[in-house]
Amino acid sequence: MATSATTDAVLAPAKPHSLLADYATLFKLRVSTMVIITAGAGFYLGSLRSGISPFHAGLLQALAGIAVVTCGSSALNQALERKTDSLMRRTASRPMAAGRISLTHGLVLGFAAIFLGSLYLAYTTNLLTGTLTLLTAIGYVAIYTPLKRVTTINTFIGAFPGALPPLIGWTAARGIIEWPGVALFAILFVWQFPHFMAIGWMYREDYARAGIRLTPNLPNAQYAAQSTVIQALFYAVLMIPVSLWPAALHTTGYFYAVAATLLGAGYLGYTVRFARILRNPDSDSSRLVARDLLRASVIYLPLLLAAMMLDAKGRLLF
């Protein structure tokens, strides 16, 4: 499969790259979109807790600032990883890895976006939101990214900045850190692990080639599979009670509790199915079940947030 993909890439004519398309890749627009969705959910729920409509200029201001900082963080991440990206098939065509965007170009864009976006958030929302967003960028770029080549614990460390967007959305609406916002953080924190383990397993050879240390690409394939499955299952089981925390805090009602339980059971089911990688870790079928878990995780989170928003306690004003 890998040989065929490489051959196809060599024989196929090179596709032209526009600066706009390169920026879209540099800023990881799909990842940034997920960040905006989770932050928007936090803002929505926080606004309802305050008894005000979430649909006002403050929502656009908060999401715009968060989006700018997220894009800047992605640019700096690719600046730091341009050499390792060039070693992996899935990332070799990224603009900085391929040399279409220079290091200086990427650094200027990244630092400017993070600084200006955080400053904008502090001015238009509140100082806490601007500070949390800046700390998220620092954690992602300056701590998580370098650790990827040092220790497999990087996945756990990286889950902290990865889980902050909904809490940031909450503080943008409320101005303080409260338990419902922490519950949103916990949900996103726990959700990431089956998601990350699926990605890591799908691209374990690529990551190993680039020297990125993950549980799925530990030297002993059978041990790597066991450790990967144990972590994924642990967090998938934990996902069910954690996802019910908003209902326990009376942020949502019974409809959400039922929906969260059913969605959590489905997520757990796909994670149990992911355990098939133990049969033959090096087979193509193991990558297929990992891909299925990845798809399930990407579907699960928006559905969970949608159920939470539909059943949120508070007065919705337009």
Side-chain angles (χ1 to χ4, degrees), residues 176-300:
I176 56 175
I177 295 175
E178 299 171 292
W179 285 115
V182 175
L184 294 174
F185 167 87
I187 287 171
L188 207 62
F189 182 86
V190 174
W191 166 82
Q192 292 176 85
F193 287 91
H195 175 80
F196 282 161
M197 292 302 150
I199 294 175
W201 194 261
M202 286 171 58
Y203 300 108
R204 57 195 297 264
E205 295 174 357
D206 239 9
Y207 285 125
R209 188 181 301 109
I212 294 176
R213 304 188 65 177
L214 298 173
T215 300
N217 65 16
L218 290 170
N220 185 311
Q222 192 62 46
Y223 176 74
Q226 291 173 356
S227 299
T228 299
V229 167
I230 288 172
Q231 289 187 52
L233 283 173
F234 173 80
Y235 286 101
V237 171
L238 186 61
M239 189 76 244
I240 296 176
V242 169
S243 67
L244 293 174
W245 197 1
L249 293 170
H250 305 293
T251 305
T252 63
Y254 292 114
F255 167 79
Y256 168 75
V258 172
T261 302
L262 293 176
L263 288 169
Y267 196 20
L268 176 59
Y270 273 94
T271 309
V272 170
R273 186 170 177 269
F274 176 62
R276 293 179 184 178
I277 67 173
L278 294 170
R279 298 175 183 174
N280 189 350
D282 295 318
S283 67
D284 288 340
S285 61
S286 73
R287 282 185 285 273
L288 291 177
V289 293
R291 187 181 301 277
D292 289 342
L293 175 57
L294 175 60
R295 288 172 176 167
S297 70
V298 172
I299 293 171
Y300 166 84

Side-chain angles (χ1 to χ4, degrees), residues 43-306:
F43 188 95
Y44 179 94
L45 294 166
S47 295
L48 291 190
R49 174 58 65 96
S50 297
I52 63 174
S53 170
F55 303 109
H56 56 83
L59 172 63
L60 296 179
Q61 291 169 339
L63 295 186
I66 293 168
V68 169
V69 175
T70 302
C71 289
S73 301
S74 296
L76 290 187
N77 166 263
Q78 290 186 50
L80 291 175
E81 294 193 322
R82 64 196 186 282
K83 292 183 179 179
T84 53
D85 279 349
S86 67
L87 298 174
M88 296 191 290
R89 294 187 182 95
R90 61 186 289 263
T91 57
S93 63
R94 284 178 174 175
M96 295 194 72
R100 297 189 304 275
I101 290 180
S102 69
L103 176 61
T104 302
H105 188 165
L107 289 175
V108 169
L109 277 178
F111 279 116
I114 290 174
F115 175 75
L116 294 175
S118 299
L119 196 63
Y120 176 78
L121 281 170
Y123 177 75
T124 58
T125 59
N126 51 70
L127 181 61
L128 176 60
T129 300
T131 302
L132 279 177
T133 308
L134 179 60
L135 290 175
T136 300
I138 292 172
Y140 177 67
V141 175
I143 301 176
Y144 166 64
T145 299
L147 280 178
K148 290 167 73 174
R149 293 183 293 276
V150 178
T151 174
T152 58
I153 299 175
N154 70 74
T155 303
F156 183 79
I157 300 298
F160 283 91
L164 279 170
L167 177 58
I168 291 171
W170 180 275
T171 63
R174 296 279 291 169
I176 56 175
I177 295 175
E178 299 171 292
W179 285 115
V182 175
L184 294 174
F185 167 87
I187 287 171
L188 207 62
F189 182 86
V190 174
W191 166 82
Q192 292 176 85
F193 287 91
H195 175 80
F196 282 161
M197 292 302 150
I199 294 175
W201 194 261
M202 286 171 58
Y203 300 108
R204 57 195 297 264
E205 295 174 357
D206 239 9
Y207 285 125
R209 188 181 301 109
I212 294 176
R213 304 188 65 177
L214 298 173
T215 300
N217 65 16
L218 290 170
N220 185 311
Q222 192 62 46
Y223 176 74
Q226 291 173 356
S227 299
T228 299
V229 167
I230 288 172
Q231 289 187 52
L233 283 173
F234 173 80
Y235 286 101
V237 171
L238 186 61
M239 189 76 244
I240 296 176
V242 169
S243 67
L244 293 174
W245 197 1
L249 293 170
H250 305 293
T251 305
T252 63
Y254 292 114
F255 167 79
Y256 168 75
V258 172
T261 302
L262 293 176
L263 288 169
Y267 196 20
L268 176 59
Y270 273 94
T271 309
V272 170
R273 186 170 177 269
F274 176 62
R276 293 179 184 178
I277 67 173
L278 294 170
R279 298 175 183 174
N280 189 350
D282 295 318
S283 67
D284 288 340
S285 61
S286 73
R287 282 185 285 273
L288 291 177
V289 293
R291 187 181 301 277
D292 289 342
L293 175 57
L294 175 60
R295 288 172 176 167
S297 70
V298 172
I299 293 171
Y300 166 84
L301 186 60
L303 289 179
L304 185 74
L305 294 175

